[in-house]
């Protein structure tokens, strides 16, 4: 079933190289061209050619490009509501599909819709970033108290959680993590598991890794430019959403491929740390819930933060297919 | 004379801004060193990295007008240096005028960018320092750049109209010898 | 009709092309930028204008300007660029710390006895000073004062004395710290640490080639520069404390990084701080510090301006897709990759005669760098698959060092070789034509060095590879 329509040229702004996180965009671009016989062209610009990683919201607002990836943690002030997804120890990380459904549900909430609206944007789809895990060197954190006194590289909610556990948080640019861990200036670092650790080569200098801590994650959705989207003929708008499941499936496959390649490497070289269910419950009690409450409190004058958290909590427990 | 007092007025700001910018570089260097020592002794300064990153705005933008006054912004002078008389002043005038146009455009749009950051509450990524004070330094520094360029434009117009006036308010193209002289005087005993 | 589009803020309002043919828009804008640069428009403005015109054509007025308004800030305020001012300041402070003269005395005692000994000593002390100086011209200025009088006193040929100082100054940009290597790293998004490390051996290598050529030349023509008297071992040992300050600075930087106390970027500050203490110990005057700070700030403002100005143009190039297409075109040429590379390097020699080193790098790299990377087989290539026998990371660093070396060569070539004018400026008795004659030999040495770096990339890649593994 091919879709007919006018010639359209869309630009998709991304930073960095082609990687798991960008495979959804690649799939979308490929399928759009196939379905429209090349008339709907979605060109992906890597390396921050169209905007720096932190300026993609601004680029969408200026109508400089039609689609972009954004990561909430680059600019917490620009998307305070979306920061809900960086809270530590949320009930996420069990299944790709369930997490994706929760995030998509959150994007539908009026608070988040309004946040995107400020930049003339629409949340198109989640890239469903995996849970962060820690890789580190030195004495491994076998239980709750193991993080005490540790110097960790962790941002946002995961960083706050680590502070609750008695760790010292260090802000370090990602490319420096490799050197600092190998020299022992930082004990552990958290990145989206496993592909990001590998891209910064953390596994080469680490001695242990946490396999199921799931301390938290971030959110890096693909955004549509609203003006450009509204200008599209109806059949193209429909097509964009029709192809979404395929793009999401491509993301899932890409993360799995990275894990299939990286996990055996981790397991062969590093000590694997797995926490029991009761340990995980303790983590959540001490380093999860208190951080949620702080976040709700800090934002209570700005928006209904509790409502956003409730979406995540309720929906992740509701009955979605695994 | 009007030009002279305008030049004096601008110079007052430019000279102080460049000194401020130089001192900031000096302070950041010292603080970064102390920060390392403090961290090694077990007392990290949380958020220092983000603050020190924001200070780059000071020395990246506040000195641009002074650099213009001292004719330090890189250009290729081969052609202009060999032009003579009115045609030379005309080329310089057009060049300065276009430069002013660009600076004005950049002032406007970088101001919008800064205002946006203020309105939205844009912040650094970890310790949530507001970014607008750093962003506003772009239009602030460029404002003085625009004034300096305006002075240059007046200076060139004057040369174009009254050919035999002695030049004022415009950078005199320096020969490599003169450039070298400057380079040398910056190294002092 | 077309201008109506412009007024309404629609794309293709200027040339009527837009995204129909982005390559043509790209080429038009490259012509615009070159024309403006030749007409004497400052590079920052020439690049901004061409970039704005191109972007307005591609995506329309509002989106173009909205995008560009963010660039000066977002491209300047990044962690690594914070190192740039420190690297410039450290050279000024090092001079105040009196490090230079002591270095020269030590070099004189240890290598002065060979033919052309004082010139050789100049080369090695300049290489040593390079470890605390981030800029070439400053180094040349400092050594004009210290080394030339001694050489003339001992009856050295004026041209040789002047030439060796002008050439020796260029070592400062290869041996870390180096401002120009940071600029390269920023444009191509390569690791700063890797590049700074990579420059070290080629810097030493250059110094050795310089020294070798001096010795040979002075041997065949002893009137050029007689050997100095031999120093006793006691005298030699006595000069060693003079080398200590440099060694301390290097030791502080290296051990801070290896002990894990500081990131490579922070270590720069630490080094500058140590030099500052030495300068204070050496009774630096407050007035000298003030001049150093103002000069640093002025250079910094200039360098940042040209960086974001060119990056506005680069933003447009990104939208146009031209670098990608140019790279594909280069690769499709039916010539050996080495021939293409040599042609590119030749281009740098010619352009370098007309424009300053920083401007040269910034203006060319956005288009040339992707082409060189693709020539080597792209970002995922392994060493054994690539025509140059290097992985992506290796070739990226390798090309950087070679290009910076090229840019440095242009500091000693007519007509605007700034180092030569600096030397002639310090020494009123030496006309600049004599300096240019004096550097001919070193120009030849540099060509040999560059060929060696092309043929034996390990000189460049060995140290950064050690760091990466
Ligand atoms: Na150096
Ligand atoms: Na040159």
């Amino acid at each position: 079933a091919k879709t007919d329509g006018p010639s359209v040229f869309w630009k998709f702004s991304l930073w960095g190289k082609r990687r798991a996180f960008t495979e959804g965009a690649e799939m979308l671009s490929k399928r759009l061209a196939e379905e429209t016989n090349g008339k709907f062209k979605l060109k992906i610009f890597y390396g921050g050619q169209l905007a720096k990683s932190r300026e993609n919201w601004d680029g969408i607002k200026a109508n400089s490009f039609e689609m972009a990836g954004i990561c909430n943690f680059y600019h917490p002030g620009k998307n305070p509501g979306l920061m809900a997804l960086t809270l530590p120890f949320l009930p996420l990380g069990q299944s790709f599909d369930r997490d994706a459904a929760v995030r998509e549900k959150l994007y539908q909430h009026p608070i988040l819709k309004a946040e995107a609206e400020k930049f003339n944007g629409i949340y198109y789809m989640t890239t469903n970033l995996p849970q962060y895990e820690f890789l580190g060197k030195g004495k491994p954190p076998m239980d709750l108290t193991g993080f005490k006194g540790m110097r960790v590289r962790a941002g946002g909610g995961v960083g706050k959680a680590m502070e609750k556990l008695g760790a010292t948080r260090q802000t370090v640019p990602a490319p420096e993590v490799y050197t600092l861990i190998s020299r022992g200036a930082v004990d552990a670092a958290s990145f989206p598991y496993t592909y990001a650790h590998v891209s910064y080569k953390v596994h080469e200098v680490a001695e242990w890794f946490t396999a199921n801590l799931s301390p938290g994650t971030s959110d890096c959705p693909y955004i549509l430019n609203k003006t450009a989207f509204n200008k599209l003929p109806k059949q193209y708008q429909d097509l964009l959403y029709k192809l979404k499941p395929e793009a999401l499936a491509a993301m899932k496959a890409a993360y799995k491929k990275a894990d299939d390649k990286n996990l055996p490497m981790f397991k062969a070289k590093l000590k694997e740390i797995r926490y029991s269910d009761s340990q995980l419950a303790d983590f959540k009690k001490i380093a999860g819930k208190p951080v949620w409450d702080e976040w709700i409190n800090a934002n209570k004058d700005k928006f209904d933060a509790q409502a956003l958290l409730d979406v995540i909590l309720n929906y992740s427990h509701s009955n979605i297919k695994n | 004379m009007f030009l002279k007092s305008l030049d004096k007025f601008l110079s007052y700001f430019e000279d102080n801004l460049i000194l401020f910018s130089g001192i900031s570089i000096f302070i950041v260097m010292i603080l970064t060193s102390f920060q390392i020592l403090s961290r090694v002794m077990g007392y990290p300064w949380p958020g220092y990295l983000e603050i020190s990153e924001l200070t780059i705005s000071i020395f990246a933008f506040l000195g641009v007008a002074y650099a213009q006054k001292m004719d330090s912004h890189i250009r290729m002078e081969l052609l202009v240096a060999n032009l003579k008389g009115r045609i030379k002043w005309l080329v310089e005038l057009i060049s300065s005028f276009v430069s002013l146009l660009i600076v004005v455009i950049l002032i406007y749009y970088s101001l919008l960018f800064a205002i946006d950051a203020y309105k939205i509450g844009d912040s650094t990524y970890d310790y949530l320092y507001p970014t607008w004070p750093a962003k506003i330094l772009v239009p602030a520094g460029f404002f003085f750049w625009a004034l300096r360029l305006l002075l240059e434009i007046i200076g060139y117009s004057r040369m174009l109209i009254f050919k035999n006036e002695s030049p004022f308010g415009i950078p005199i193209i320096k020969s490599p010898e003169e450039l070298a002289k400057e380079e040398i005087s910056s190294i002092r005993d | 009709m077309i201008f109506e589009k412009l007024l309404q803020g629609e794309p293709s309002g200027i040339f009527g092309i837009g995204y129909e043919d982005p390559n043509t828009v790209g080429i038009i804008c490259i012509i615009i930028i070159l024309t403006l640069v030749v007409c004497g428009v400052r590079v920052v403005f020439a690049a901004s204008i061409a970039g704005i015109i191109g972007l307005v054509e591609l995506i329309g007025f509002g989106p173009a300007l909205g995008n560009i308004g963010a660039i000066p800030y977002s491209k300047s305020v990044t962690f690594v660029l914070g190192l740039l001012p420190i690297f410039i300041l450290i050279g000024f402070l090092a001079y105040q710390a009196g490090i230079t003269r002591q270095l020269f005395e030590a070099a004189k005692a240890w290598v002065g006895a060979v033919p052309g000994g004082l010139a050789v000593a100049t080369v090695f002390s300049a290489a040593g000073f390079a470890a605390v100086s981030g800029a070439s011209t400053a180094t040349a200025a400092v050594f004009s004062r210290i080394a030339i009088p001694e050489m003339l006193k001992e009856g050295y040929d004026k041209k040789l004395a002047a030439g060796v100082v002008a050439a020796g100054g260029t070592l400062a940009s290869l041996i870390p710290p180096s401002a120009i290597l940071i600029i390269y790293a920023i444009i191509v998004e390569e690791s700063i640490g890797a590049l700074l490390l990579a420059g070290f051996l080629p810097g030493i290598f250059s110094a050795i080639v310089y020294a070798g050529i001096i010795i040979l030349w002075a041997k065949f023509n002893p009137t050029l520069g007689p050997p100095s008297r031999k120093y006793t071992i006691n005298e030699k040992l006595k000069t060693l404390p003079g080398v200590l300050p440099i060694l301390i600075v290097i030791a502080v930087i290296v051990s801070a990084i290896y002990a894990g106390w500081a990131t490579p970027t922070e270590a720069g500050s630490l080094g500058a701080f140590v030099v500052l203490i030495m300068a204070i110990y050496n009774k630096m005057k407050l007035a000298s510090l003030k001049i150093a700070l103002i000069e640093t700030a002025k250079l910094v403002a200039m360098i940042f301006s040209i960086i974001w100005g060119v990056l506005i143009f680069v933003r447009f190039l990104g939208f146009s897709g031209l670098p990608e297409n140019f790279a594909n075109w280069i690769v499709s040429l039916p010539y050996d990759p080495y021939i293409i590379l040599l042609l590119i390097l030749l281009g740098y020699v010619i352009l370098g005669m007309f424009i300053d080193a920083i401007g040269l790098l910034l203006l060319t790299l956005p288009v040339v760098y992707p082409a060189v990377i693709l020539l080597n087989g792209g970002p995922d290539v392994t060493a054994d698959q690539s025509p140059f026998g290097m992985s992506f990371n290796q070739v990226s660093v390798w090309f950087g060092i070679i290009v910076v070396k090229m840019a440095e060569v242009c500091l000693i070539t007519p007509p605007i070789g700034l180092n030569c004018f600096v030397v002639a400026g310090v020494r009123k008795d030496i006309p600049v034509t004599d300096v240019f004659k004096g550097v001919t030999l070193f120009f030849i040495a540099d060509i040999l060095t560059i060929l060696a770096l092309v043929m034996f990339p390990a000189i460049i890649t060995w140290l950064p590879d050690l760091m990466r593994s």
Side-chain angles (χ1 to χ4, degrees):
Chain A
K2 299 280 182 192
T3 310
D4 198 26
S7 283
V8 172
F9 179 73
W10 269 28
K11 303 174 289 300
F12 197 132
S13 169
L14 285 169
W15 62 95
K17 299 188 174 106
R18 185 170 170 171
R19 57 200 186 278
F21 163 67
T22 66
E23 282 308 298
E26 287 286 350
M27 176 58 85
L28 188 64
S29 166
K30 186 179 133 213
R31 295 288 295 120
L32 277 175
E34 281 172 6
E35 289 293 315
T36 61
N37 285 326
K39 282 190 169 166
F40 193 155
K41 192 159 178 254
L42 176 65
K43 183 172 174 189
I44 299 166
F45 292 80
Y46 287 103
Q49 288 186 83
L50 308 191
K52 248 186 81 165
S53 53
R54 288 185 223 169
E55 320 294 352
N56 275 310
W57 273 127
D58 305 83
I60 288 284
K61 185 173 181 187
N63 297 322
S64 295
F65 33 81
E66 292 75 18
M67 287 190 84
I70 64 111
C71 273
N72 59 352
F73 56 84
Y74 279 132
H75 28 53
K78 284 178 181 159
N79 37 234
L82 194 62
M83 295 310 283
L85 280 167
T86 62
L87 289 174
F89 296 106
L90 291 171
L92 295 172
Q94 299 305 309
S95 104
F96 183 94
D97 296 330
R98 179 186 286 254
D99 285 9
V102 172
R103 294 180 198 242
E104 296 277 342
K105 182 83 183 168
L106 198 64
Y107 299 156
Q108 300 309 316
H109 195 282
I111 294 176
L112 285 200
K113 276 192 159 170
E115 231 170 66
E117 190 92 2
K118 270 194 309 197
F119 297 94
N120 194 31
I122 303 166
Y123 287 115
Y124 170 67
M125 82 172 224
T126 180
T127 58
N128 215 13
L129 220 58
Q131 282 286 319
Y132 286 40
E133 292 290 348
F134 281 91
L135 264 70
K137 196 177 159 184
K139 191 165 172 275
M142 299 311 294
D143 52 31
L144 202 57
T145 60
F147 284 98
K148 200 165 179 162
M150 213 180 248
R151 290 158 302 172
V152 298
R153 192 260 186 200
V158 179
K160 296 248 164 63
M162 285 298 121
E163 279 179 342
K164 296 267 181 245
L165 295 173
T168 316
R169 191 154 61 107
Q170 310 233 311
T171 319
V172 177
E176 308 253 28
V177 167
Y178 174 91
T179 320
L180 290 181
I181 289 195
S182 71
R183 306 277 172 246
V186 165
D187 298 309
S190 71
F191 282 112
Y193 190 60
T194 56
Y195 81 96
H197 280 287
V198 171
S199 66
Y200 294 112
K201 297 186 181 173
V202 185
H203 66 294
E204 290 179 7
V205 287
E207 292 167 356
W208 51 262
F209 70 103
T210 61
N212 71 337
L213 182 62
S214 296
T217 177
S218 304
D219 201 52
C220 303
Y222 294 160
I223 308 292
L224 288 166
N225 174 298
K226 198 171 166 186
T227 310
F229 182 75
N230 289 340
K231 252 197 226 160
L232 285 181
K234 177 84 172 45
Q235 68 274 27
Y236 282 2
Q237 293 183 343
D238 293 343
L239 183 61
L240 266 175
Y241 278 94
K242 201 187 96 188
L243 294 177
K244 217 174 99 169
E246 288 183 55
L248 207 52
M251 303 270 0
K252 184 177 179 178
Y255 291 132
K256 182 164 184 315
K257 196 175 148 206
D259 285 348
D260 286 348
K261 192 176 145 213
N262 299 332
L263 262 180
M265 207 156 72
F266 284 16
K267 286 188 176 169
K269 210 178 144 273
L270 314 176
K271 180 180 168 61
E272 178 177 355
I273 303 170
R274 279 195 172 273
Y275 300 99
S276 69
D277 284 349
S278 75
Q279 278 179 318
L280 288 175
D282 284 345
F283 272 117
K284 194 168 175 175
K285 200 171 83 196
I286 291 168
K289 184 78 171 37
V291 181
W292 305 352
D293 293 342
E294 279 168 23
W295 181 71
I296 290 165
N297 215 14
N299 287 299
K300 66 172 187 284
D301 299 333
K302 292 179 222 149
F303 57 93
D304 189 355
Q306 182 71 55
L308 292 180
L309 181 63
D310 287 345
V311 172
I312 301 173
L313 296 181
N314 298 336
Y315 204 66
S316 58
H317 291 133
S318 73
N319 220 359
I320 334 165
K321 77 173 170 89
N322 262 328
Chain B
M1 194 183 120
F2 169 71
L3 262 185
K4 281 230 161 75
S5 43
L6 184 59
D7 178 59
K8 221 176 135 189
F9 176 75
L10 285 182
S11 288
Y12 172 79
F13 288 102
E14 290 159 348
D15 296 353
N16 281 305
L17 284 174
I18 200 76
L19 186 60
F20 175 65
S21 154
I23 292 174
S24 323
I25 294 172
F26 190 65
I27 292 176
V28 169
M29 173 195 85
I30 292 176
L31 286 183
T32 304
S33 304
F34 277 109
Q35 178 256 153
I36 298 169
L37 294 179
S38 174
R39 191 180 55 206
V40 170
M41 291 188 293
Y43 302 96
W45 299 1
Y48 177 76
L49 184 87
E50 289 181 4
I51 292 270
S52 72
E53 188 173 66
L54 290 179
T55 58
I56 293 173
S57 225
I58 298 174
F59 35 84
F61 303 116
L62 291 187
V64 286
Y66 181 86
Q68 181 75 30
K69 177 171 81 167
M70 306 308 272
D71 198 19
S72 298
H73 290 291
I74 294 176
R75 66 161 165 170
M76 201 176 112
E77 284 159 338
L78 209 62
L79 181 73
V80 193
N82 287 306
L83 291 176
K84 294 265 171 316
R86 286 212 153 108
I87 183 82
K88 172 192 184 115
W89 304 126
L90 187 65
V91 170
E92 290 280 33
L93 179 64
I94 295 171
S95 156
S96 292
F97 184 77
V98 180
S99 306
L100 176 64
L101 190 73
I102 294 295
V103 172
V104 170
I105 289 177
L106 286 176
I107 290 176
Y108 181 74
Y109 283 92
S110 62
L111 186 64
L112 284 190
F113 183 60
I115 290 174
D116 236 33
Y118 174 76
K119 274 200 207 144
I120 282 158
D122 185 40
S123 66
T124 59
Y125 38 92
D126 208 358
Y127 288 87
L128 309 186
Y129 302 118
T131 59
W132 69 264
K135 286 181 177 171
I136 202 94
L137 293 183
V138 181
F142 286 14
F143 174 71
F144 292 99
W145 203 359
L147 292 180
R148 177 50 68 181
L149 283 165
L150 197 62
L151 184 73
E152 252 183 34
I153 288 174
I154 299 173
Y156 284 130
S157 312
R158 198 170 141 265
M159 298 307 291
L160 191 64
I161 300 165
F162 318 104
K163 224 171 112 189
N164 295 321
E165 287 277 343
S166 62
F168 186 80
I170 55 175
I172 304 302
I173 294 185
K174 291 173 206 133
S175 61
E177 291 89 349
E178 286 162 316
L179 273 179
K181 225 178 276 167
E182 271 184 20
E183 193 69 46
I184 293 155
S185 67
S186 66
I187 303 251
R188 266 226 197 154
D189 293 301
Chain C
M1 161 68 193
I2 284 174
F3 287 101
E4 216 166 276
K5 273 186 168 176
L6 181 65
L7 289 176
Q8 289 163 0
E10 292 284 311
S12 49
I14 304 177
F15 312 124
I17 305 173
Y19 263 112
E20 289 294 310
D21 185 359
N23 280 341
T24 304
V25 180
I27 290 164
I28 292 175
C29 289
I30 286 180
I31 294 172
I32 291 178
I33 192 174
L34 291 179
T35 311
L36 291 173
V37 168
V38 168
C39 288
V41 177
R42 288 172 180 80
V43 174
V44 43
F45 296 125
S48 307
I49 297 164
I52 289 174
I53 291 177
L55 258 188
V56 168
E57 173 68 15
L58 285 184
I59 61 177
F61 195 81
L65 275 299
N67 191 301
I68 281 166
I71 291 182
Y73 175 86
S74 65
K75 288 294 184 178
S76 304
V77 181
T78 64
F79 184 63
V80 277
L81 273 180
L83 199 57
L84 204 69
I86 308 288
F87 277 11
I88 292 170
L89 181 60
I90 190 173
F92 288 115
L93 294 177
Y95 179 68
Q96 299 294 336
I99 288 174
T100 344
R101 181 167 295 281
Q102 298 169 339
L103 262 182
F104 183 61
E105 292 301 325
K108 219 166 72 181
W110 287 85
V111 298
V114 299
L118 282 184
V120 175
T122 304
V123 166
F124 285 117
S125 45
F129 188 67
V132 284
S133 169
S136 299
T137 41
T139 311
V142 166
F143 278 88
S144 300
R145 292 187 172 180
I146 291 168
I148 294 182
E150 300 229 10
M151 284 190 267
L152 295 188
K153 207 166 63 195
E154 297 218 7
Y156 272 59
D157 178 67
K158 230 192 235 177
K159 294 186 204 104
L160 172 65
V164 69
V165 168
T170 66
L171 296 174
S173 294
L174 285 175
I175 295 172
S178 159
I180 198 158
L181 280 177
I182 297 194
I183 291 171
Y184 178 87
I186 288 291
I187 308 175
V188 310
E189 298 180 333
E190 180 51 68
S191 143
I192 300 271
L195 265 167
L196 291 177
L197 265 183
F200 184 75
L201 286 182
I204 304 291
F205 184 82
S206 292
I208 292 173
V209 176
Y210 284 166
I213 250 180
I214 294 168
I215 295 171
L216 272 182
W217 199 23
K219 201 158 190 149
F220 287 114
N221 186 358
T223 59
L224 278 177
S228 307
R229 71 177 175 89
K230 285 211 165 60
Y231 284 70
T232 66
I233 191 73
N234 249 341
E235 283 176 309
K236 282 186 183 173
L237 289 178
K238 258 195 202 150
T239 63
L240 282 187
V243 189
L244 217 54
I246 290 275
L247 292 181
I248 291 176
V249 176
I250 296 174
V252 165
I253 293 179
V254 171
S255 56
I257 294 173
Y258 272 81
W261 295 339
T263 65
T265 14
E266 288 172 329
S269 281
L270 207 55
F273 184 67
V274 174
V275 176
L276 170 69
I277 292 173
M278 292 174 179
I280 292 171
Y281 181 75
N282 199 35
K283 303 196 173 64
M284 168 178 59
K285 296 189 197 80
L286 196 61
S288 311
L289 177 64
K290 187 178 160 187
I291 290 172
L293 290 182
I294 288 178
E295 283 303 310
T296 303
K298 186 182 84 181
L299 275 179
V300 166
M302 177 276 278
I303 294 176
F304 271 95
S305 301
I306 193 173
I307 289 177
W308 60 251
V310 168
L311 288 176
I312 285 179
F313 187 70
V314 170
R315 177 61 56 86
F316 153 68
L317 283 180
F319 272 86
S320 78
L322 190 78
E324 207 180 313
N325 296 335
F326 176 74
N328 287 326
W329 176 74
I330 285 279
V331 171
S332 73
L333 293 176
Y335 305 112
D336 186 85
Y338 276 101
I339 302 283
I340 297 177
L341 183 79
L342 286 179
L343 286 177
I344 290 174
L345 294 182
L346 194 66
Y348 274 96
V349 175
I350 295 165
L351 284 174
M353 293 168 76
F354 303 103
I355 188 157
D356 165 278
I358 295 174
L360 174 67
L361 252 60
L362 277 161
L363 282 175
T364 55
L365 284 176
V367 179
V368 172
Y369 174 80
V372 170
I373 292 301
L374 200 62
L375 206 54
N376 188 55
D380 298 315
V381 77
T382 58
D384 46 329
Q385 298 166 332
S386 92
F388 297 129
M390 275 176 277
S391 69
F392 162 74
N393 278 328
Q394 287 174 321
V395 86
S396 172
V397 165
W398 173 72
F399 185 64
I401 298 298
I402 290 177
V403 163
V404 165
K405 181 71 191 171
M406 299 296 301
E408 290 303 305
V409 174
C410 299
L411 281 173
I412 57 168
T413 55
I416 61 162
L418 197 52
N419 271 15
C420 296
F421 284 99
V422 166
V423 173
V426 177
R427 302 293 311 189
K428 302 288 169 228
D429 53 326
I430 307 178
V432 74
T433 45
D434 275 2
V435 191
F436 278 122
K437 280 179 198 154
V439 291
T440 318
L441 191 66
F442 300 98
F443 177 76
I444 295 167
D446 279 341
I447 298 300
L448 291 178
T449 302
I450 289 167
L451 286 177
L453 295 178
V454 171
M455 316 258 280
F456 308 108
I459 304 173
I460 295 170
T461 56
W462 186 64
L463 273 181
D465 283 350
L466 271 188
M467 181 194 85
R468 280 184 169 123
S469 67

